Amino acid sequence: KQEVTQIPAALSVPEGENLVLNCSFTDSAIYNLQWFRQDPGKGLTSLLLIQSSQREQTSGRLNASLDKSSGRSTLYIAASQPGDSATYLCAGLNTGFQKLVFGTGTRLLVSP
Amino acid sequence: DGGITQSPKYLFRKEGQNVTLSCEQNLNHDAMYWYRQDPGQGLRLIYYSQIVNDFQKGDIAEGYSVSREKKESFPLTVTSAQKNPTAFYLCASSTIQVKAEAFFGQGTRLTVV
Protein backbone atom coordinates (compact mmCIF):
# COMPACT_ATOMS: atom_id res chain seq x y z
CA LYS A 1 0.00 0.00 0.00
CA GLN A 2 1.39 3.35 -1.05
CA GLU A 3 2.09 5.82 1.73
CA VAL A 4 3.25 9.38 1.14
CA THR A 5 4.94 11.52 3.77
CA GLN A 6 5.81 15.20 3.64
CA ILE A 7 8.39 16.94 5.77
CA PRO A 8 8.30 19.47 7.26
CA ALA A 9 4.63 19.91 8.18
CA ALA A 10 5.13 23.67 8.40
CA LEU A 11 7.81 26.07 7.30
CA SER A 12 8.26 29.80 7.86
CA VAL A 13 10.89 31.74 5.92
CA PRO A 14 11.71 35.36 5.10
CA GLU A 15 11.11 36.61 1.60
CA GLY A 16 13.88 35.87 -0.87
CA GLU A 17 15.04 32.58 0.59
CA ASN A 18 15.42 29.46 -1.48
CA LEU A 19 13.68 26.49 0.07
CA VAL A 20 13.12 22.76 -0.36
CA LEU A 21 10.02 20.75 0.43
CA ASN A 22 10.36 17.02 0.81
CA CYS A 23 8.06 14.17 -0.17
CA SER A 24 8.74 10.47 0.36
CA PHE A 25 6.78 7.47 -0.83
CA THR A 26 6.93 3.79 0.04
CA ASP A 27 6.07 2.09 -3.26
CA SER A 28 8.45 2.82 -6.13
CA ALA A 29 5.91 1.48 -8.66
CA ILE A 30 4.39 4.87 -9.27
CA TYR A 31 3.29 6.14 -12.68
CA ASN A 32 3.86 9.80 -11.86
CA LEU A 33 4.27 12.21 -8.99
CA GLN A 34 2.43 15.50 -8.89
CA TRP A 35 2.94 18.63 -6.78
CA PHE A 36 -0.02 20.82 -5.92
CA ARG A 37 -0.61 24.12 -4.20
CA GLN A 38 -3.67 24.76 -2.04
CA ASP A 39 -4.74 28.15 -0.75
CA PRO A 40 -7.05 28.26 2.31
CA GLY A 41 -10.58 27.15 1.47
CA LYS A 42 -9.71 26.51 -2.17
CA GLY A 43 -9.17 23.56 -4.43
CA LEU A 44 -5.80 22.21 -5.54
CA THR A 45 -3.75 23.81 -8.29
CA SER A 46 -1.36 21.55 -10.18
CA LEU A 47 2.19 22.92 -10.12
CA LEU A 48 4.38 20.23 -11.62
CA LEU A 49 4.04 16.63 -12.73
CA ILE A 50 6.99 14.26 -13.06
CA GLN A 51 6.47 11.05 -14.96
CA SER A 52 8.25 7.95 -13.67
CA SER A 53 10.71 8.04 -16.56
CA GLN A 54 11.76 11.61 -15.76
CA ARG A 55 14.15 12.97 -13.14
CA GLU A 56 12.92 16.54 -12.84
CA GLN A 57 10.57 19.22 -14.11
CA THR A 58 10.86 22.99 -13.97
CA SER A 59 8.32 25.79 -14.14
CA GLY A 60 9.50 29.31 -13.46
CA ARG A 61 10.92 29.46 -9.93
CA LEU A 62 9.83 25.90 -9.18
CA ASN A 63 11.84 22.76 -9.75
CA ALA A 64 10.68 19.28 -8.79
CA SER A 65 12.85 16.18 -8.78
CA LEU A 66 12.02 12.50 -8.54
CA ASP A 67 14.21 9.63 -7.36
CA LYS A 68 12.20 6.42 -7.57
CA SER A 69 14.98 4.25 -6.18
CA SER A 70 15.05 6.17 -2.91
CA GLY A 71 11.33 6.92 -2.88
CA ARG A 72 11.83 10.67 -2.72
CA SER A 73 10.71 13.82 -4.46
CA THR A 74 11.67 17.39 -3.68
CA LEU A 75 10.11 20.70 -4.64
CA TYR A 76 12.61 23.55 -4.82
CA ILE A 77 11.28 27.11 -4.68
CA ALA A 78 13.76 29.81 -5.63
CA ALA A 79 13.64 33.37 -4.33
CA SER A 80 10.47 32.85 -2.30
CA GLN A 81 7.79 35.54 -2.25
CA PRO A 82 4.87 36.23 0.14
CA GLY A 83 2.53 35.09 -2.62
CA ASP A 84 4.06 31.62 -2.35
CA SER A 85 2.43 31.21 1.08
CA ALA A 86 0.12 28.22 0.82
CA THR A 87 -0.02 24.51 1.58
CA TYR A 88 1.97 22.33 -0.81
CA LEU A 89 0.87 18.75 -1.41
CA CYS A 90 2.57 15.93 -3.24
CA ALA A 91 0.73 12.91 -4.60
CA GLY A 92 1.75 9.68 -6.30
CA LEU A 93 -0.36 7.97 -8.95
CA ASN A 94 -0.13 4.19 -8.97
CA THR A 95 0.44 2.28 -12.17
CA GLY A 96 -3.17 1.11 -12.21
CA PHE A 97 -4.29 4.74 -12.56
CA GLN A 98 -6.71 4.14 -9.80
CA LYS A 99 -5.91 6.89 -7.39
CA LEU A 100 -3.57 9.60 -6.29
CA VAL A 101 -2.19 8.99 -2.82
CA PHE A 102 -1.57 12.26 -1.03
CA GLY A 103 0.80 13.39 1.65
CA THR A 104 -0.54 15.60 4.44
CA GLY A 105 1.17 18.67 3.04
CA THR A 106 3.65 21.34 4.03
CA ARG A 107 2.20 24.67 5.12
CA LEU A 108 4.52 27.44 3.90
CA LEU A 109 4.55 31.01 5.18
CA VAL A 110 6.81 33.53 3.47
CA SER A 111 7.17 36.77 5.41
CA PRO A 112 7.84 40.14 3.74
CA ASP B 1 -12.79 27.96 -20.15
CA GLY B 2 -11.81 24.33 -19.67
CA GLY B 3 -11.96 22.98 -16.19
CA ILE B 4 -13.83 21.30 -13.39
CA THR B 5 -16.87 22.90 -11.81
CA GLN B 6 -18.12 21.89 -8.40
CA SER B 7 -21.37 23.12 -6.93
CA PRO B 8 -22.50 24.32 -4.56
CA LYS B 9 -19.54 25.95 -2.87
CA TYR B 10 -21.19 25.64 0.55
CA LEU B 11 -23.79 23.09 1.59
CA PHE B 12 -25.61 22.50 4.84
CA ARG B 13 -27.16 19.18 5.73
CA LYS B 14 -29.62 18.34 8.44
CA GLU B 15 -29.37 15.11 10.37
CA GLY B 16 -30.83 12.19 8.42
CA GLN B 17 -30.81 14.02 5.11
CA ASN B 18 -29.16 12.96 1.85
CA VAL B 19 -27.38 15.64 -0.15
CA THR B 20 -25.79 15.57 -3.61
CA LEU B 21 -22.63 17.38 -4.63
CA SER B 22 -22.20 18.19 -8.30
CA CYS B 23 -19.00 17.79 -10.33
CA GLU B 24 -18.81 18.60 -14.04
CA GLN B 25 -15.73 18.65 -16.29
CA ASN B 26 -15.25 19.80 -19.88
CA LEU B 27 -11.69 18.50 -20.25
CA ASN B 28 -12.77 15.30 -22.00
CA HIS B 29 -11.10 13.28 -19.25
CA ASP B 30 -11.97 9.63 -18.80
CA ALA B 31 -11.19 9.38 -15.09
CA MET B 32 -12.95 11.24 -12.33
CA TYR B 33 -12.39 11.13 -8.56
CA TRP B 34 -13.95 12.29 -5.30
CA TYR B 35 -11.75 13.11 -2.32
CA ARG B 36 -12.54 14.17 1.20
CA GLN B 37 -10.28 16.58 3.11
CA ASP B 38 -10.36 16.99 6.89
CA PRO B 39 -8.19 19.41 8.90
CA GLY B 40 -4.75 18.00 9.58
CA GLN B 41 -5.30 15.00 7.31
CA GLY B 42 -4.37 14.30 3.75
CA LEU B 43 -6.93 13.87 1.01
CA ARG B 44 -8.71 10.53 1.18
CA LEU B 45 -10.28 8.86 -1.85
CA ILE B 46 -14.03 8.19 -1.67
CA TYR B 47 -14.85 6.89 -5.18
CA TYR B 48 -13.30 6.92 -8.61
CA SER B 49 -14.49 6.17 -12.14
CA GLN B 50 -12.43 5.42 -15.23
CA ILE B 51 -15.29 4.96 -17.68
CA VAL B 52 -18.96 5.81 -18.04
CA ASN B 53 -21.31 3.53 -16.10
CA ASP B 54 -18.50 2.12 -14.00
CA PHE B 55 -17.02 3.24 -10.70
CA GLN B 56 -15.00 1.80 -7.86
CA LYS B 57 -14.88 2.33 -4.11
CA GLY B 58 -11.94 4.17 -2.67
CA ASP B 59 -10.64 4.05 0.88
CA ILE B 60 -13.64 5.63 2.63
CA ALA B 61 -16.73 4.82 0.51
CA GLU B 62 -19.09 3.94 3.35
CA GLY B 63 -22.02 6.36 3.55
CA TYR B 64 -21.44 7.72 0.05
CA SER B 65 -22.76 6.87 -3.40
CA VAL B 66 -21.91 8.03 -6.93
CA SER B 67 -23.08 7.67 -10.50
CA ARG B 68 -21.35 8.12 -13.86
CA GLU B 69 -24.06 8.33 -16.50
CA LYS B 70 -22.15 10.86 -18.60
CA LYS B 71 -18.45 11.30 -19.21
CA GLU B 72 -18.64 14.91 -18.05
CA SER B 73 -20.47 14.36 -14.78
CA PHE B 74 -19.69 12.50 -11.55
CA PRO B 75 -22.11 13.50 -8.76
CA LEU B 76 -21.52 12.40 -5.16
CA THR B 77 -24.37 11.73 -2.75
CA VAL B 78 -23.67 11.92 0.95
CA THR B 79 -26.24 9.69 2.58
CA SER B 80 -27.63 9.69 6.10
CA ALA B 81 -25.45 6.62 6.75
CA GLN B 82 -22.35 8.85 6.72
CA LYS B 83 -22.04 9.68 10.40
CA ASN B 84 -19.45 12.42 10.16
CA PRO B 85 -20.00 14.17 6.83
CA THR B 86 -18.70 17.62 7.77
CA ALA B 87 -15.64 18.09 5.54
CA PHE B 88 -14.28 19.71 2.41
CA TYR B 89 -15.04 17.65 -0.71
CA LEU B 90 -12.88 17.83 -3.81
CA CYS B 91 -13.56 16.45 -7.26
CA ALA B 92 -10.78 15.74 -9.74
CA SER B 93 -10.37 14.41 -13.25
CA SER B 94 -7.50 13.14 -15.35
CA THR B 95 -6.65 11.33 -18.53
CA ILE B 96 -5.77 7.67 -18.26
CA GLN B 97 -2.18 6.93 -19.24
CA VAL B 98 -0.04 9.46 -21.15
CA LYS B 99 0.64 12.09 -18.49
CA ALA B 100 -2.44 11.36 -16.38
CA GLU B 101 -2.21 14.81 -14.82
CA ALA B 102 -5.00 15.41 -12.31
CA PHE B 103 -6.96 18.65 -12.13
CA PHE B 104 -9.20 19.66 -9.27
CA GLY B 105 -12.35 21.67 -8.79
CA GLN B 106 -12.69 24.42 -6.19
CA GLY B 107 -14.37 22.18 -3.66
CA THR B 108 -17.62 22.00 -1.72
CA ARG B 109 -17.66 22.59 2.01
CA LEU B 110 -20.35 20.47 3.64
CA THR B 111 -21.54 21.22 7.16
CA VAL B 112 -24.03 19.30 9.26
CA VAL B 113 -26.46 21.56 11.13
Side-chain angles (χ1 to χ4, degrees), chain A residues 43-63:
Chain A
L44 277 63
T45 300
S46 179
L47 296 173
L48 288 166
L49 178 145
I50 312 174
Q51 294 180 266
S52 61
S53 59
Q54 299 173 321
R55 297 280 297 181
E56 65 177 64
Q57 283 288 317
T58 298
S59 176
R61 294 183 293 108
L62 305 180
N63 175 276

Side-chain angles (χ1 to χ4, degrees), chain B residues 8-60:
Chain B
K9 187 173 181 180
Y10 300 98
L11 187 58
F12 299 91
R13 193 194 92 167
K14 295 180 181 179
E15 296 284 349
Q17 196 177 45
N18 293 352
V19 292
T20 297
L21 284 61
S22 171
C23 179
E24 303 277 334
Q25 55 101 357
N26 60 5
L27 300 169
N28 199 33
H29 286 168
D30 289 305
M32 295 188 74
Y33 311 83
W34 274 106
Y35 285 87
R36 169 177 172 146
Q37 187 176 35
D38 295 283
Q41 298 194 37
L43 276 71
R44 293 180 290 167
L45 182 67
I46 305 173
Y47 269 98
Y48 66 95
S49 168
Q50 295 181 321
I51 192 169
V52 173
N53 293 322
D54 187 54
F55 46 83
Q56 305 296 327
K57 293 182 179 180
D59 300 317
I60 56 166

Side-chain angles (χ1 to χ4, degrees), chain A residues 1 31-32 34 36 38 41-49 51 89 93 96-104, chain B residues 9 33 35 37 40-43 45 48 50 59 88 90 96-107 109:
Chain A
K1 180 183 174 184
Y31 184 78
N32 67 33
Q34 202 166 348
F36 296 89
Q38 185 176 31
K42 304 293 186 183
L44 277 63
T45 300
S46 179
L47 296 173
L48 288 166
L49 178 145
Q51 294 180 266
L89 296 153
L93 178 66
F97 305 96
Q98 293 156 342
K99 63 179 180 180
L100 280 168
V101 178
F102 281 85
T104 52
Chain B
K9 187 173 181 180
Y33 311 83
Y35 285 87
Q37 187 176 35
Q41 298 194 37
L43 276 71
L45 182 67
Y48 66 95
Q50 295 181 321
D59 300 317
F88 191 50
L90 288 158
I96 297 177
Q97 300 187 344
V98 193
K99 285 181 67 177
E101 184 173 6
F103 295 90
F104 280 77
Q106 286 301 300
R109 184 165 301 280

